[in-house]
Amino acid sequence: MSMKRSIAPGEYYHIFNRGAHRQGLFRERSDWTRFLFEILYFQSPIQFKNVARIVRTFDAEVGFDISEHDFGNVLKARNVELVAYCLMSNHFHLMVRELADGGVSRYMQRIGDAYAKYFVSKYQLSGHLFESPYKAVHMEDNRQLLYTSAYIHQNPHEIKTWRGKEEHYPWSSLYDYVTANRWGGLLAQEIILDQFEGSKSSNYADFVRTSTAKVFEKELVVPKKNPR
């Protein structure tokens, strides 16, 4: 990303942030599901009533109980397109494509504000929840896009109990790439999976499993300029 370039429609970005002082962002299952709901359904400006009730409907294999009407409205009004994600105990990674001018900024502000308000209120905390404003790295080419998707999906390997079982980690879109897409059009896998022939899911899983993405970690997670 050039020093003058800002986030632009049609481009892909690796977005990430962590908890302030490396504190945990998720303490209970309901926290994980709340944030997961937000990264999926806040892709559009559509407002939901009683988010807490919807979050309680989460099933790790099928997702959230959302009406077809609400799902369709979100899909039609998206500001961004979510390509990949992984939630870890004290940080998260997203890959998104901006669809509308300023879409990434609105998306991340809504997620950050809503989740921080929820978390701080629930646990009676003070101060900042997130370490800093989110960071975004522009995907300069297809190689970086593919390797970043692998880097994101390799994160559960850091958790001893999930090592070797990353494909079944419920808080990562690798589950949706390899098993079944729980989110339909709200997870735009095609830009990644369509680059693999034959059994696309199986071949992509092999790519993630054997990828050297960690070797290129610096270029995948260090923005040349925070595009704000």
Side-chain angles (χ1 to χ4, degrees):
M1 184 178 300
S2 69
M3 293 301 290
K4 293 183 178 180
R5 185 172 185 173
S6 60
I7 289 178
E11 298 295 309
Y12 291 87
Y13 300 89
H14 173 204
I15 295 176
F16 50 97
N17 207 346
R18 66 173 65 249
H21 311 295
R22 297 183 178 270
Q23 68 175 320
L25 293 173
F26 315 109
R27 297 185 180 181
E28 300 176 348
R29 178 181 170 85
S30 58
D31 303 335
W32 295 85
T33 54
R34 180 88 176 207
F35 196 83
L36 180 59
F37 174 84
E38 292 182 5
I39 66 173
L40 289 160
Y41 290 93
F42 286 9
Q43 293 182 62
S44 88
I46 301 297
Q47 299 292 323
F48 285 86
K49 295 181 180 179
N50 200 347
V51 171
R53 183 198 63 78
I54 298 173
V55 167
R56 287 195 295 270
T57 70
F58 176 75
D59 181 291
E61 295 184 356
V62 298
F64 298 96
D65 183 11
I66 298 288
S67 72
E68 290 186 11
H69 178 265
D70 287 342
F71 179 88
N73 284 341
V74 171
L75 201 59
K76 288 186 293 186
R78 286 177 299 168
N79 291 314
V80 300
E81 187 176 75
L82 182 65
V83 176
Y85 66 84
C86 186
L87 312 185
M88 300 292 282
S89 61
N90 69 351
H91 66 283
F92 65 87
H93 295 270
L94 310 175
M95 183 186 287
V96 303
R97 175 177 176 240
E98 178 158 284
L99 298 180
D101 191 38
V104 167
S105 177
R106 291 193 294 272
Y107 173 62
M108 294 307 299
Q109 181 175 6
R110 187 179 178 197
I111 290 172
D113 290 350
Y115 189 74
K117 181 178 180 181
Y118 153 83
F119 193 87
V120 168
S121 174
K122 178 177 179 179
Y123 296 109
Q124 297 296 297
L125 303 175
S126 60
H128 297 290
L129 176 60
F130 296 103
E131 180 179 70
S132 63
Y134 68 88
K135 296 178 177 63
V137 177
H138 177 235
M139 299 294 96
E140 301 282 355
D141 53 34
N142 188 61
R143 171 183 168 279
Q144 190 175 8
L145 183 78
L146 283 175
Y147 271 88
T148 300
S149 76
Y151 173 84
I152 290 171
H153 288 145
Q154 285 177 345
N155 266 261
H157 186 77
E158 300 172 7
I159 308 171
K160 185 176 181 180
T161 55
W162 286 100
R163 199 165 295 157
K165 300 183 291 183
E166 294 86 353
E167 297 161 19
H168 302 287
Y169 185 67
W171 315 111
S172 164
S173 54
L174 183 59
Y175 180 97
D176 306 284
Y177 275 69
V178 175
T179 305
N181 186 353
R182 297 167 288 179
W183 318 116
L186 292 181
L187 184 65
Q189 304 169 310
E190 294 81 6
I191 186 63
I192 302 296
L193 286 182
D194 284 354
Q195 299 189 51
F196 295 84
E197 298 180 352
S199 178
K200 296 180 180 181
S201 295
S202 177
N203 290 337
Y204 178 69
D206 289 341
F207 171 73
V208 172
R209 196 177 301 115
T210 60
S211 173
T212 56
K214 289 291 184 181
V215 174
F216 302 101
E217 180 170 1
K218 185 175 181 179
E219 72 178 77
L220 300 179
V221 302
V222 178
K224 297 176 183 176
K225 179 178 182 291
N226 194 11
R228 311 297 290 179

